[in-house]
């Protein structure tokens, strides 16, 4: 929860700013006047002082006003992570408008779709932006500092609390992205909580590495500039590698960093030099599966919040792995946030019971841009207050923290059991040889789901090693039927696991089995064909255990029936349980056939041989 203690080290220029009413344009201008040479932005190309940032933003504001930008105008910014990109955003606010970040890494079609949907007053980008956005009705203008007016004397008009600050587009279930409208009041709540909770002062250095179309990029910038601190911009090669990112954080002297979950889980397993300046490693975007190792020089803070609730709704420090076991919770409600956990009828669930998470409070966004029906569906009124229904499952722990249980519609059903793939992944990642791991649900041959594990691991690890390890703590239905070896896990531009980019299991990518053996007899070859067809996969060795490959009683019945027909005998599930490998089952079938022949008369034996 947010601390109520005032921060004695806060920059003098903003010491008098009323908590909860922080407006970035006012505070940045105050810092620029009081300490003009203080570094606001830093990157590989150099630094930008508060005075330079403020003056450039004033020039942008005058330019935009000349194009008719004012209150509630939306300005698209199609630009890479840079001083210019952030200066434009600040200039839009000084002109009274709101900004829409457009990531240049997006495909042209997505950029055009969002610009058309958003109905921007203007889009500003580099020289190639106009070509990429050809065909849209919105004017597209290239930034050219040589033609911008000098900083005007006209002061910026502080936006009202309910004025639009920015719009972030997120993926929609309809296949079209939806724009979330966030106000300055929403943003002020985030800034006040962040700077209070993490004790941000003018001496801090925050990192800026989130994807530009990801709302965490807002969190990475404005709280620090409001505190008179510095924001350090990362290059793309840094933000995609945990090894390079760790070195960059140390060299740049970053004190507070937000890192997407997939990378943070690698960083908390590493050794860190005691001289690192990092105080807090903030993470979010995906479910956190691991806990930090003991002795790290920084605190790991797990955060949760949809874009519709201004980046963060719950947060808490994660104790080291030796202190507490199990999946880390998503924390306590931040600031004035209110969380309800309700069942399908809209009633509160009991402590420890699962229900849908509803979020209320000052950070709940306006709604979806130009989509009133969807806004009405997702932003609801409870006891006279406005809440956002997340579609996420949670439960309230006895300590007041909230445990996350996945999406309402994202659970798998394996052999009749409800399974959260992330729970299996959390155990998988604990294996000492697994560098990174993920588990997803895929269609199984019986019409249900099966689990598939994706691992970045050493060459000497086998599928049996992982299955044996998982079997120590998980029931058999939670053990993946297949494991795929990966060089690295694919991530979306927002740093989340890109499930759509994960390959289907195949003979080429399957993690090797221990002592993989191919069929040596005609009976074994027939059984390999049967088991691969029933399991819906290839690469089944004759020493692989059917039940450890994802087999179960329903699929076992198919194996028994098909094998019985193939060999002309009566098999039972008991036979398969006692002989779960192809080598063993072939021997069992041979025993049954020999027993049948011995019990036959000579004529019957000759007739069977002839058949």
């Amino acid at each position: 929860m947010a601390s109520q203690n005032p921060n004695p080290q806060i920059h003098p220029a903003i010491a008098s700013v009323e908590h909860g009413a922080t407006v970035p344009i006012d505070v940045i201008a105050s810092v620029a006047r009081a300490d003009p040479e203080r570094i606001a932005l830093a990157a590989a190309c150099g630094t930008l002082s508060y005075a330079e940032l403020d003056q450039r933003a004033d020039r942008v504001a005058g330019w935009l006003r000349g194009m008719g930008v004012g209150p509630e105008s939306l300005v698209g910014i199609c630009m890479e992570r840079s001083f210019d990109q952030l200066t434009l955003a600040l200039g839009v606010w000084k002109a009274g408008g709101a900004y829409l970040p457009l990531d240049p890494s997006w495909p042209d079609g997505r950029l055009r779709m969002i610009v058309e949907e958003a109905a921007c007053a203007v889009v500003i980008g580099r020289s190639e932006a106009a070509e990429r956005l050809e065909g849209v009705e919105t004017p597209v203008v290239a930034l050219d500092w040589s033609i911008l007016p000098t900083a005007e004397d006209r002061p910026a008009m502080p936006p009202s609390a309910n004025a639009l600050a920015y719009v972030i587009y997120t993926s929609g279930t309809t296949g079209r992205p939806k724009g979330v409208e966030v106000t300055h009041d929403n943003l002020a709540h985030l800034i006040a909580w962040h700077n209070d909770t993490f004790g941000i002062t003018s001496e801090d250095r925050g990192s800026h590495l989130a994807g530009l179309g990801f709302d965490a990029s807002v969190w990475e910038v404005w709280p620090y500039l409001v505190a008179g601190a510095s924001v350090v911009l990362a290059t793309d090669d840094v933000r995609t590698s945990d090894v390079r990112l760790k070195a960059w954080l140390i060299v740049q002297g970053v004190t507070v960093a937000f890192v997407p979950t997939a990378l943070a889980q690698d960083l908390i397993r590493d050794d860190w030099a005691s001289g690192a300046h990092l105080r807090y490693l903030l993470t979010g975007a995906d479910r956190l599966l691991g806990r930090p190792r003991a002795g790290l020089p920084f605190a790991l803070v797990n955060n949760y919040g949809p874009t519709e609730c201004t980046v963060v709704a719950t947060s808490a420090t994660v104790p080291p792995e030796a202190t507490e076991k199990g999946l880390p919770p998503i924390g306590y409600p931040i600031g004035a946030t209110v969380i309800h956990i309700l069942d399908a009828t809209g009633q509160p669930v009991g402590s420890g019971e699962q229900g849908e998470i509803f979020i209320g409070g000052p950070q709940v966004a306006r709604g979806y841009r130009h989509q009133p029906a969807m806004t009405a569906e997702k932003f609801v009124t409870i006891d006279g207050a406005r809440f956002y229904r997340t579609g996420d499952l949670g439960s309230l722990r006895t300590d007041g923290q909230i445990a996350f249980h996945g999406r309402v519609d994202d659970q798998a059903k394996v052999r009749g059991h409800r399974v959260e793939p992330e729970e299996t992944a959390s155990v998988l990642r604990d294996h000492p040889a697994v560098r990174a791991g993920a588990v997803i649900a895929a269609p199984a041959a019986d019409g249900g789901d099966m689990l598939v594990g994706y691992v970045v691991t050493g060459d000497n690890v086998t599928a049996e090693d992982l299955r044996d390890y998982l079997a120590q703590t998980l029931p058999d239905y939670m053990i993946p039927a297949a494991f795929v070896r990966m060089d690295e896990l694919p991530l979306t531009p927002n740093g989340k696991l890109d499930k759509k980019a994960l390959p289907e299991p195949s003979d080429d990518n399957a993690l090797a089995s221990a002592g993989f053996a191919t069929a040596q007899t005609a009976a074994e070859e027939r059984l390999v064909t049967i088991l691969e067809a029933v399991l819906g996969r290839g690469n089944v060795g004759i020493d692989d255990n059917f039940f450890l490959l994802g087999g179960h009683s329903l699929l076992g019945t198919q194996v028994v029936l098909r094998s019985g027909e193939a060999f002309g005998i009566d098999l039972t599930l008991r036979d398969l349980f006692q002989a779960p490998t192809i080598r063993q089952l072939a021997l069992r079938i041979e025993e049954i056939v020999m027993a049948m022949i011995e019990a036959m008369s000579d004529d019957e034996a000759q007739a069977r041989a002839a058949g």
Side-chain angles (χ1 to χ4, degrees):
M1 301 292 288
S3 168
Q4 299 303 310
N5 296 326
N7 187 343
Q9 302 180 54
I10 202 162
H11 194 281
I14 61 170
S16 62
V17 176
E18 181 183 355
H19 185 73
T22 48
V23 179
I25 62 172
D26 290 343
V27 181
I28 291 170
S30 297
V31 178
R33 289 192 297 269
D35 194 354
E37 299 305 313
R38 175 168 291 276
I39 295 174
L41 306 176
C45 63
T47 61
L48 195 69
S49 70
Y50 271 86
E52 291 170 323
L53 173 62
D54 192 57
Q55 291 166 5
R56 291 186 186 187
D58 281 340
R59 295 177 63 189
V60 169
W63 181 47
L64 291 175
R65 287 193 188 106
M67 288 188 279
V69 171
E72 296 300 311
S73 296
L74 186 62
V75 177
I77 302 176
C78 185
M79 197 167 291
E80 77 287 354
R81 184 182 296 97
S82 60
F83 295 168
D84 284 351
Q85 196 254 1
L86 296 176
T87 302
L88 284 170
L90 182 60
V92 170
W93 282 347
K94 282 176 173 277
Y99 73 90
L100 166 66
L102 299 166
D103 194 331
S105 68
W106 291 342
D108 293 357
R110 180 177 178 83
L111 289 173
R112 286 193 291 268
M113 180 191 303
I114 290 177
V115 169
E116 290 171 347
E117 154 69 24
C120 296
V122 63
V123 173
I124 304 172
R126 300 296 185 195
S127 57
E128 67 274 10
E131 181 179 347
R132 297 188 63 188
L133 292 171
E134 185 178 2
V136 302
E137 295 183 3
T138 301
V140 182
V141 182
L143 176 65
D144 183 352
W145 287 103
S146 67
I147 65 171
L148 261 64
T150 57
E152 58 182 7
D153 295 331
R154 177 181 172 183
M157 294 297 294
S160 63
N162 62 356
L164 188 63
Y166 65 84
V167 175
I168 294 281
Y169 272 78
T170 66
S171 297
T173 56
T174 62
R176 293 185 65 87
K178 53 187 186 294
V180 180
E181 295 187 323
V182 178
T183 68
H184 281 278
D185 196 33
N186 299 149
L187 180 58
H189 178 265
L190 173 71
I191 292 173
W193 164 79
H194 177 89
N195 288 355
D196 238 9
T197 300
F198 303 114
I200 304 302
T201 76
S202 57
E203 301 305 313
D204 275 300
R205 289 171 68 85
S207 65
H208 178 28
L209 56 91
L212 298 176
F214 182 28
D215 63 344
S217 61
V218 174
W219 187 22
E220 291 179 314
V221 174
W222 304 117
Y224 300 98
L225 295 181
V226 164
S230 300
V231 177
V232 189
L233 284 60
T235 55
D236 284 341
D237 64 321
V238 164
R239 57 184 293 271
T240 57
S241 164
D242 64 297
V243 175
R244 289 191 291 268
L245 177 57
K246 176 184 171 183
W248 181 82
L249 291 171
I250 293 173
V251 170
Q252 294 297 327
V254 171
T255 57
V256 183
F258 170 80
V259 176
T261 310
L263 286 175
Q265 291 181 145
D266 292 330
L267 293 177
I268 62 175
R269 293 163 64 107
D270 287 344
D271 291 319
W272 282 73
S274 58
H277 293 282
L278 191 64
R279 296 189 293 115
Y280 291 102
L281 181 67
L282 314 177
T283 193
D286 265 338
R287 191 172 187 178
L288 182 64
L289 304 178
R291 294 177 178 274
R293 53 178 300 179
L296 292 176
F298 55 82
L300 175 70
V301 182
N302 193 26
N303 304 276
Y304 160 83
T307 303
E308 290 84 348
C309 296
T310 320
V311 191
V312 183
T314 67
S315 177
T317 300
V318 181
E321 55 189 359
T323 306
E324 191 173 320
K325 298 296 183 182
L327 291 175
I330 56 177
Y332 304 96
I334 71 166
T337 300
V338 178
I339 301 288
H340 288 334
I341 302 178
L342 308 178
D343 64 18
T345 65
Q347 297 301 308
V349 300
S351 179
E353 296 180 359
Q354 292 187 24
E356 185 175 357
I357 298 173
F358 287 71
I359 302 173
Q363 82 283 26
V364 177
R366 268 191 194 174
Y368 298 115
R369 189 167 181 81
H370 303 150
Q371 298 194 50
M374 184 178 292
T375 298
E377 175 188 352
K378 299 294 286 185
F379 293 83
V380 299
T381 300
I382 301 176
D383 296 332
R386 195 159 174 271
F387 281 76
Y388 172 70
R389 63 177 310 168
T390 66
D392 292 331
L393 289 172
S395 63
L396 186 64
R397 304 195 334 169
T398 56
D399 62 359
Q401 296 195 73
I402 296 169
F404 181 77
H405 297 287
R407 294 287 298 170
V408 171
D409 55 359
D410 197 32
Q411 290 182 329
K413 194 166 188 179
V414 181
R415 301 182 229 165
H417 299 275
R418 285 288 177 185
V419 174
E420 295 177 28
E422 291 87 351
E423 186 174 353
T424 297
S426 70
V427 181
L428 179 63
R429 284 183 53 84
D430 284 339
H431 191 287
V434 174
R435 178 66 182 175
V439 177
I440 66 169
D446 64 352
D449 295 321
M450 70 173 186
L451 299 182
V452 179
Y454 294 83
V455 292
V456 179
T457 185
D459 293 335
N460 59 339
V461 178
T462 66
E464 282 76 12
D465 290 335
L466 299 182
R467 291 192 182 101
D468 290 344
Y469 180 80
L470 295 174
Q472 295 176 24
T473 54
L474 298 177
D476 58 355
Y477 62 82
M478 292 184 67
I479 297 176
F483 289 94
V484 176
R485 181 186 295 280
M486 303 285 290
D487 293 329
E488 60 182 15
L489 296 180
L491 304 179
T492 67
N494 292 346
K496 295 185 178 184
L497 176 69
D498 189 352
K499 295 181 181 179
K500 294 181 179 179
L502 292 171
E504 293 184 4
S506 68
D507 291 351
D508 295 331
N509 61 27
L511 191 66
S513 295
F516 180 84
T518 58
Q520 302 297 315
T521 67
E524 290 173 351
E525 289 178 354
R526 179 68 68 86
L527 288 174
V528 166
T529 301
I530 292 171
L531 262 70
E532 289 184 345
V534 169
L535 292 170
R537 55 163 291 175
N539 206 35
V540 176
I542 64 172
D543 293 318
D544 290 338
N545 188 305
F546 170 75
F547 298 101
L548 291 181
L549 294 178
H552 49 82
S553 297
L554 292 176
L555 293 181
T557 299
Q558 295 185 42
V559 171
V560 166
L561 291 175
R562 295 188 189 190
S563 299
E565 292 176 357
F567 295 98
I569 60 174
D570 291 327
L571 276 178
T572 66
L573 269 177
R574 182 179 178 82
D575 291 317
L576 183 58
F577 279 116
Q578 292 179 340
T581 71
I582 290 173
R583 189 192 299 274
Q584 293 169 335
L585 188 58
L587 292 174
R588 177 62 178 150
I589 290 172
E590 183 179 338
E591 291 173 359
I592 294 173
V593 170
M594 291 303 297
M596 289 176 57
I597 292 175
E598 289 176 0
M600 291 177 182
S601 64
D602 290 343
D603 291 341
E604 289 174 330
Q606 290 176 2
R608 179 179 176 85

